[in-house]
Amino acid sequence: MTDQNRKYIKKEIGRLLSEIWRIKGLAEQEYGPNHQITRKISSMHADAQILLKEI
């Protein structure tokens, strides 16, 4: 993978993390922090953070 591709991927994953965080906040307002949907979104955020660290 070229350095340029790596930077682009990191940038896009960063955007994804930001959007997931925003949606998680909305889900918490609507359903509460312990609802299945909110927990799943939190899990997605954690998975994306792990992916970012692997790059």
Side-chain angles (χ1 to χ4, degrees), residues 34-52:
N34 295 321
H35 192 275
Q36 179 183 2
I37 292 172
T38 307
R39 288 193 317 258
K40 186 66 174 179
I41 294 170
S42 294
S43 175
M44 290 171 56
H45 191 270
D47 290 345
Q49 285 180 319
I50 291 169
L51 181 62
L52 185 61

Side-chain angles (χ1 to χ4, degrees), residues 2-3 8 10 13-18 27 29-30 32 35-36 39 43-44 47 51:
T2 67
D3 192 45
Y8 176 76
K10 284 183 177 184
I13 293 174
R15 287 183 190 178
L16 177 62
L17 282 167
S18 178
Q29 288 177 358
E30 183 72 24
H35 192 275
Q36 179 183 2
R39 288 193 317 258
S43 175
M44 290 171 56
D47 290 345
L51 181 62

Side-chain angles (χ1 to χ4, degrees), residues 7-32:
K7 286 179 184 179
Y8 176 76
I9 291 169
K10 284 183 177 184
K11 179 180 168 186
E12 290 300 313
I13 293 174
R15 287 183 190 178
L16 177 62
L17 282 167
S18 178
E19 283 298 305
I20 292 171
W21 191 258
R22 184 184 65 79
I23 294 167
K24 179 181 174 267
L26 294 173
E28 284 179 346
Q29 288 177 358
E30 183 72 24
Y31 303 110

